[in-house]
Amino acid sequence: MSRTSSAAARQGGQSWLKRLAHSGILLYVLLIALAFIYIMPFVIQVATSFKTDADATSNPVSLVPEVWTTAAYNKLFLNSDFPVWFRNSFVVTIVVTLGRVFFDSLAGYALSRLNFRGRNLVFAALVAVMSVPGVVLLIPKFLIIKTLGIYDTYAGMILPLLIDASGVFIMKNFFESIPRSVEEQAMIDRAGTFRIFWSIVLPMARPALVTISILSFQGSWNELSHFIVSTQSSSLTTLTKGVASLASGQLSAGNQYPVKLAAAVVMTIPVAVLFFIFQKQIMNSSEGSVKE
């Protein structure tokens, strides 16, 4: 009887687990746990930015400050070069994003529509560049910027970032999904190649353009290694470079965790806002960019 009852209990437990799995509850529990693990560092970061230095040092993972204070933000904006860093990052990010959207779409259209000698070789080189780690290119990039005489200038910060291999790859694949028949009438009317690209094909590539815009904004806003090798002047320091210097102890004595994490919070806001505004477009553009 005991063996029979234990077997029945095991069978009942297994059937209960199967019902639980089929209902999707386990999946939701797992997703909630992963979301909690992913979000907690950011929540701790925000909470710590409103703490005093002593509170942040003694209670580093506490979510409720003992005393709520904006002293870290006041020091950041009023007694540091943070506004200069923010301005530099904003200028570079806007110019790079606009440039990448234009040049990546141009290159993608050329690779998908124009028949020229060496097109396959150019595309193979593009894919090869995507596989090269960025850190390997830092020294050659520095030497080229120095040789061109644009070291420690806005030009040196912006020009090398205007073309992105992954962006060209995305645009090429999307343009190839557009039927050539939509361009035939314009060709009959003797419209030029650029006119067809600008007036007919590019407006149809809005989903891919949204993808490129978001990726370009996020990538250039969070870029660090390129700015390390292209600038040295404090007047051209960007947010990533400035926050990295804060993390390495530029603020003199003490840990000063609230100021460092306040800088990280402010730096996160533009990308987070952009993502939440265009969340649906990002999902739709991801589907559209791989649509056949």
Side-chain angles (χ1 to χ4, degrees):
M1 290 294 293
S2 59
R3 292 181 180 178
T4 304
S5 60
S6 62
R10 286 197 299 270
Q11 186 176 2
Q14 291 175 357
S15 62
W16 180 80
L17 288 175
K18 289 181 180 179
R19 289 197 299 269
L20 191 64
H22 285 306
S23 66
I25 295 177
L26 287 178
L27 178 61
Y28 284 115
V29 171
L30 178 62
L31 291 176
I32 291 173
L34 291 176
F36 180 80
I37 294 173
Y38 186 80
I39 294 174
M40 272 304 294
F42 180 74
V43 175
I44 294 174
Q45 173 179 289
V46 174
T48 304
S49 68
F50 290 99
K51 295 179 181 179
T52 61
D53 290 345
D55 185 17
T57 302
S58 58
N59 303 297
V61 296
S62 172
L63 299 181
V64 181
E66 292 182 356
V67 178
W68 288 85
T69 177
T70 59
Y73 291 94
N74 293 335
K75 182 174 183 179
L76 196 65
F77 284 98
L78 301 179
N79 298 312
S80 72
D81 293 330
F82 189 83
V84 177
W85 304 344
F86 193 94
R87 182 199 66 198
N88 291 333
S89 287
F90 181 79
V91 171
V92 171
T93 299
I94 294 300
V95 175
V96 168
T97 300
L98 294 176
R100 278 190 183 179
V101 170
F102 179 69
F103 290 115
D104 287 357
S105 58
L106 266 181
Y109 183 77
L111 289 173
S112 65
R113 287 294 195 263
L114 303 184
N115 293 318
F116 57 90
R117 183 177 298 177
R119 185 178 70 168
N120 293 334
L121 181 61
V122 172
F123 182 69
L126 182 73
V127 175
V129 169
M130 293 174 59
S131 65
V132 177
V135 68
V136 176
L137 303 176
L138 289 182
I139 295 178
K141 186 182 295 185
F142 168 76
L143 295 176
I144 293 174
I145 291 174
K146 197 76 172 178
T147 302
L148 293 176
I150 56 175
Y151 178 74
D152 207 24
T153 65
Y154 272 119
M157 298 169 68
I158 294 173
L159 290 179
L161 299 179
L162 287 180
I163 296 293
D164 177 61
S166 60
V168 176
F169 184 80
I170 292 173
M171 295 304 300
K172 175 185 180 295
N173 288 342
F174 191 90
F175 285 137
E176 287 179 345
S177 70
I178 299 176
R180 290 180 179 267
S181 58
V182 301
E183 306 168 52
E184 291 177 355
Q185 183 61 45
M187 293 178 181
I188 294 174
D189 294 337
R190 297 183 179 180
T193 302
F194 185 80
R195 178 66 181 275
I196 295 174
F197 160 76
W198 186 260
S199 301
I200 298 175
V201 180
L202 194 61
M204 300 178 66
R206 185 168 176 250
L209 293 177
V210 172
T211 300
I212 297 299
S213 299
I214 300 299
L215 294 178
S216 298
F217 186 94
Q218 183 180 21
S220 53
W221 184 264
N222 294 327
E223 180 64 44
L224 174 61
S225 59
H226 170 67
F227 299 137
I228 291 177
V229 300
S230 62
T231 62
Q232 66 176 0
S233 173
S234 59
S235 62
L236 293 177
T237 300
T238 58
L239 275 175
T240 49
K241 194 174 177 180
V243 172
S245 67
L246 292 181
S248 63
Q250 187 194 41
L251 291 173
S252 69
N255 294 323
Q256 303 198 42
Y257 294 135
V259 176
K260 298 174 183 178
L261 294 182
V265 169
V266 176
M267 183 179 171
T268 305
I269 290 175
V271 176
V273 170
L274 194 69
F275 175 80
F276 284 114
I277 291 176
F278 295 102
Q279 185 175 6
K280 291 183 179 180
Q281 289 86 337
I282 293 172
M283 299 305 176
N284 293 335
S285 62
S286 298
E287 295 176 0
S289 62
V290 297
K291 184 180 179 181
E292 296 294 340

